Amino acid sequence: MDLKEELIKLNFSSLNGNDDMYVTKLLYNSLTSAFSTPDAFFGTSRHCAIIWEEQEVLEVGYVEDLRSLVGNRPLILVGSAVVLVNSKGRILLQQRKFPKGKWGLPGGLMELGESTEDTARREVYEETGLKVKDLKLINVYSGSKMSTAENGDEFYVVTVAYYSENYEGQLQINQEESIDLQFFDPHELPHYMVGSHRLMLEEFLKKYYADKK
């Protein structure tokens, strides 16, 4: 039995009656390199490898792994954003919890093993409940301006923007990230918007939208 299986076998597996739990990737990799066997690790502590919040064990992603190593220092990150257009020609925007109340496009940062298209589809699904089929490239955006996250993390981002009219599903608000989801007339977009996303929309409307509507 490997270390991960042994960890899952602990009493924590009884939380919420759910056995499908994980240690963080970074911590798991560190433990497996530091200890030759599960018994060697459990001889030091049976609990420090488990991370949980509200009785749910969490799996930490690529960016979180990096942050555990470098702290708040600036990073160059890659992400995707998606312009979704419905049958009435309206554009989907997400009202975010950070910056609180600000509107923007669905999207987020790339995880290991993903293409930018994979990232776009995953983030749209996670944030809206919609499954995007085809994606068409708008442009790739980068710049010298550094951004700062709510927790103080600093980063420069390279964003690949796509658009799609081909998706399915029912809108579902992700309560962890979003306040609201709405389709807007492209000529009546909210004033309080993520600046880079407004630029993406302006390019989309100029280069692609006018030819379609």
Side-chain angles (χ1 to χ4, degrees):
M1 180 179 297
D2 65 21
L3 179 58
K4 185 175 180 180
E5 291 174 338
E6 185 68 15
L7 288 168
I8 293 172
K9 198 179 170 187
L10 295 177
N11 292 336
F12 297 104
S13 64
S14 64
L15 294 176
N16 296 328
N18 182 8
D19 290 334
D20 186 20
M21 299 189 294
Y22 302 87
V23 293
T24 70
K25 294 177 206 171
L26 179 65
L27 184 54
Y28 175 65
N29 290 339
S30 298
L31 290 172
T32 52
S33 63
F35 296 93
S36 57
T37 66
D39 289 339
F41 165 69
F42 292 128
T44 62
S45 170
R46 296 189 64 84
H47 303 292
C48 68
I50 302 296
I51 295 177
W52 70 91
E53 180 177 303
E54 297 178 354
Q55 295 190 334
E56 291 185 8
V57 178
L58 307 178
E59 181 180 13
V60 175
Y62 170 66
V63 175
E64 290 84 354
D65 283 355
L66 282 179
R67 285 299 178 192
S68 70
L69 297 172
V70 304
N72 298 121
R73 294 167 60 185
L75 294 174
I76 298 173
L77 303 173
V78 178
S80 297
V82 184
V83 177
L84 288 180
V85 184
N86 70 9
S87 59
K88 297 180 181 179
R90 297 168 73 87
I91 293 169
L92 181 63
L93 294 180
Q94 170 201 33
Q95 190 176 32
R96 301 178 170 208
K97 288 194 172 180
F98 180 80
K100 188 173 182 180
K102 206 166 208 178
W103 292 88
L105 298 168
L109 298 176
M110 180 184 290
E111 293 286 349
L112 291 176
E114 288 186 328
S115 66
T116 53
E117 292 88 352
D118 292 336
T119 301
R121 291 188 175 93
R122 174 180 55 77
E123 287 287 346
V124 168
Y125 182 72
E126 289 177 357
E127 295 177 353
T128 72
L130 301 177
K131 295 182 179 180
V132 179
K133 296 182 179 179
D134 64 290
L135 289 164
K136 298 177 182 178
L137 180 67
I138 299 174
N139 209 338
V140 180
Y141 301 85
S142 62
S144 59
K145 183 178 178 180
M146 185 176 70
S147 300
T148 304
E150 185 176 17
N151 63 359
D153 290 349
E154 298 175 334
F155 61 95
Y156 297 86
V157 64
V158 178
T159 303
V160 184
Y162 297 95
Y163 73 94
S164 180
E165 299 170 294
N166 192 4
Y167 58 89
E168 61 184 12
Q170 298 293 322
L171 278 181
Q172 297 178 5
I173 297 174
N174 182 331
Q175 300 293 338
E176 294 183 0
E177 300 183 29
S178 307
I179 298 171
D180 198 8
L181 295 168
Q182 287 188 37
F183 282 94
F184 287 86
D185 184 294
H187 304 295
E188 299 177 358
L189 298 175
H191 175 72
Y192 190 46
M193 276 190 66
V194 177
S196 59
H197 290 189
R198 186 180 291 278
L199 292 175
M200 295 172 196
L201 279 170
E202 288 175 355
E203 182 167 359
F204 165 74
L205 293 173
K206 181 179 179 180
K207 291 172 64 175
Y208 303 105
Y209 187 88
D211 295 337
K212 294 177 173 295
K213 308 299 174 187

